[in-house]
Amino acid sequence: MQNKVTAYIGLGSNLSGPRMQVSKAANEIASISASRVVAFSPLYLSKPMGPQDQDDYINAVIALETRLSALQLLDALQAIENTAGRVRKDNRWGARILDCDILLYGNETIENERLTVPHYGMKVREFVLLPLADIASDLLLPDGTPVSLLANEIDNNGIVKLPLLK
Ligand code: ROI
């Protein structure tokens, strides 16, 4: 059996009840085979990166210990996006019901047609770095950069950490 690795998954939504979309996705991620959720960050409310004529986003990060390969994990996450009603079309910077992105997969660097890990934008996105630093304050990227350093230095762009629901 393949070794366990810890993968970090970024969640984002700004359509169809974003808070509910992200919580539902977290539940579904918890039932991915050969895997278990080891941390779930607080939810954040963030300003859209890209065109500003779209609603604010809910973002969060999950740490998942998994024996799936990176591509098997990608398949599982894309199935969850599709179930949420995500339409894959030409809207790279547009509103979306649900994004589940593999940010990190252990300490690996992956570059192929389907997947780039570390996620290409993660070093410059406050809505990734802040929730990631909440659950993995000592984590280093494969290139050795501390996540905490990036999180401390990024412009927070008006992001708000939401209080935990009672
Ligand atoms: N902006 C924010 N704030 N959060 C996201 O998750 C997000 N996802 C995207 C783009 C359109 C780049 N903007 C985003 O895919």
Side-chain angles (χ1 to χ4, degrees), residues 81-88 91 96-101:
E81 289 177 342
N82 293 340
T83 306
R86 164 85 181 264
V87 196
R88 279 177 197 286
N91 72 338
R96 62 243 0 260
I97 296 182
L98 182 65
D99 256 341
C100 300
D101 294 331

Side-chain angles (χ1 to χ4, degrees), residues 11-13 46-51 54 56-59 91-96 99 101 120 125-127:
L11 304 180
S13 169
S46 64
K47 297 288 165 210
M49 173 179 199
Q54 54 179 323
D56 289 353
Y57 280 76
I58 294 291
N59 286 108
N91 72 338
R92 199 159 120 82
W93 298 100
R96 62 243 0 260
D99 256 341
D101 294 331
Y120 72 97
R125 295 183 175 188
E126 73 287 354
F127 54 86

Side-chain angles (χ1 to χ4, degrees), residues 90-111:
D90 193 17
N91 72 338
R92 199 159 120 82
W93 298 100
R96 62 243 0 260
I97 296 182
L98 182 65
D99 256 341
C100 300
D101 294 331
I102 300 176
L103 304 170
L104 296 168
Y105 181 82
N107 202 36
E108 291 186 27
T109 301
I110 302 168
E111 191 99 39

Side-chain angles (χ1 to χ4, degrees), residues 17-82:
R19 234 173 139 126
M20 196 237 342
Q21 294 298 340
V22 168
S23 327
K24 247 180 84 204
N27 278 321
E28 289 167 7
I29 288 170
S31 68
I32 292 177
S33 64
S35 308
R36 72 188 174 100
V37 171
V38 290
F40 183 21
S41 78
L43 302 183
Y44 281 81
L45 183 65
S46 64
K47 297 288 165 210
M49 173 179 199
Q52 295 298 297
D53 61 342
Q54 54 179 323
D55 288 344
D56 289 353
Y57 280 76
I58 294 291
N59 286 108
V61 172
I62 286 181
L64 189 75
E65 202 175 83
T66 185
R67 291 184 188 276
L68 297 182
S69 70
L71 285 179
Q72 288 171 325
L73 178 59
L74 180 64
D75 285 337
L77 295 173
Q78 288 186 343
I80 291 170
E81 289 177 342
N82 293 340

